Amino acid sequence: MANMINLLMAGLATGAIYALVAIGFTLLWQTSQTINFAQGEFVMLPAFFVLAALNLKAPLWLALLIGLGASLLVLGALFKRAVVDPMLRHGVLPLAICTMALSIFLKEGVKESYSAEASPFPSFVPGGNVSLLGAQISIQSVSIFVFALVVVFALQAFLMRTSTGRQMQATAQNPSVARLLGIPVERMILYTFLINAGLVALASFLVSPVYLAKFSSGETLGLAAFIAAIVGGFNQIRGAIAGGLLLGVVDNFAAAYVSTQYRGAVPLFLLIAVILFRPQGLFGRAEERTV
């Protein structure tokens, strides 16, 4: 029983990270039909922004702010202006291929410019364990889960209860009608890219103390978040949240009770099952598009 509680809590913490990244996938797709295959590297890079600031003797709180600001600028505004806007007019497929190339560029760039070795990343949450029903649960796992949930609920409140959030939803649902209503569609799309950059930066700050900062750390995380978004429903934020949490828990239990060798295959089996029996995802809705 204690072991299952430990696995569940660790799985929820991992799943919360997947959910943050998967929400970014969903938001970008809803507003601009962008599938960012460099999303995993977007999670990897903010940790190195922070490490670079720490190497310049900045205190941790300032380094985190610098990392967040650099992420908003580079992974949000610059990514949209320099990559998405020029490529999207040629179609979704060229843009997808471009983000794949960007993924390789970011990964190899960090490897060559910083280090090929994993670097320790300072944690801003307390260590130690807490007892729950006879199980010793990591305070770090609980903190990651709670912090990610707070971020998700804050984002949901922003989208549902603010004028800007409702304008972003209108843009996602029908950009043409949104323009007729006087909504600044391009600005709303830019806000979406900035939100995605903020989410991946927060995910990076949460996951790097556990798995270290490494140039290749985004590969598995990006793939897992992409699968989570599809499993939950690529057109629903709640689907991305549910898919991330489900995938994190399934992944942890598979490693413990199936096999660590086949751990990576379990999410793929889950993805195949969802595509076959419910292609819109567990919480997604079917869409029709003119092609």
Side-chain angles (χ1 to χ4, degrees):
M1 181 64 179
N3 187 43
M4 291 188 68
I5 294 174
N6 276 325
L7 289 172
L8 177 63
M9 195 63 243
L12 288 174
T14 304
I17 301 296
Y18 293 162
L20 288 178
V21 185
I23 289 171
F25 270 119
T26 302
L27 288 174
L28 293 186
W29 174 253
Q30 285 182 321
T31 56
S32 64
Q33 303 296 289
T34 299
I35 299 178
N36 179 20
F37 286 108
Q39 189 83 334
E41 281 62 42
F42 276 29
V43 179
M44 171 271 295
L45 198 57
F48 286 95
F49 288 153
V50 173
L51 290 178
L54 290 174
N55 288 340
L56 296 175
K57 308 303 181 183
L60 179 58
W61 66 269
L62 180 58
L64 291 172
L65 287 178
I66 292 173
L68 179 60
S71 300
L72 293 175
L73 179 62
V74 176
L75 307 180
L78 184 60
F79 172 60
K80 181 182 183 299
R81 300 295 188 191
V83 178
V84 176
D85 287 349
M87 294 303 301
L88 192 58
R89 64 174 65 102
H90 299 293
V92 175
L93 182 58
L95 176 57
I97 295 173
C98 187
T99 60
M100 294 177 191
L102 178 62
S103 168
I104 298 172
F105 172 77
L106 292 177
K107 183 168 59 178
E108 294 301 319
V110 169
K111 178 182 176 181
E112 295 299 327
S113 63
Y114 196 89
S115 173
E117 301 298 324
S119 302
F121 190 88
S123 175
F124 58 92
V125 297
N129 298 316
V130 61
S131 181
L132 177 64
L133 299 177
Q136 295 296 315
I137 299 175
S138 168
I139 295 178
Q140 191 172 48
S141 293
V142 176
S143 301
I144 290 173
F145 178 63
V146 171
F147 188 83
L149 280 187
V150 169
V151 171
V152 168
F153 282 124
L155 176 61
Q156 287 280 59
F158 169 75
L159 292 175
M160 299 298 295
R161 299 184 181 183
T162 67
S163 174
T164 301
R166 288 191 289 270
Q167 290 181 59
M168 290 175 64
Q169 290 189 72
T171 300
Q173 292 171 9
N174 195 318
S176 299
V177 174
R179 283 191 178 91
L180 292 175
L181 295 174
I183 295 174
V185 170
E186 289 303 319
R187 189 193 307 166
M188 295 302 111
I189 294 175
L190 175 60
Y191 289 165
T192 303
F193 278 82
L194 293 176
I195 289 174
N196 176 62
L199 289 174
V200 295
L202 292 174
S204 181
F205 301 159
L206 291 172
V207 75
S208 296
V210 180
Y211 296 106
L212 305 180
K214 191 175 182 182
F215 74 95
S216 60
S217 61
E219 295 175 357
T220 303
L221 189 54
L223 177 61
F226 185 62
I227 293 174
I230 296 175
V231 168
F234 216 82
N235 53 18
Q236 292 287 332
I237 291 179
R238 62 176 182 173
I241 298 168
L245 295 177
L246 175 63
L247 193 63
V249 172
V250 168
D251 186 41
N252 258 36
F253 275 88
Y257 294 111
V258 180
S259 169
T260 54
Q261 291 180 327
Y262 296 102
R263 177 181 187 176
V266 173
L268 297 178
F269 283 127
L270 180 61
L271 173 64
I272 293 171
V274 169
I275 290 176
L276 288 176
F277 298 107
R278 191 173 171 81
Q280 69 267 36
L282 298 178
F283 294 91
R285 61 178 185 271
E287 288 187 351
E288 295 182 1
R289 295 187 182 273
T290 302
V291 296

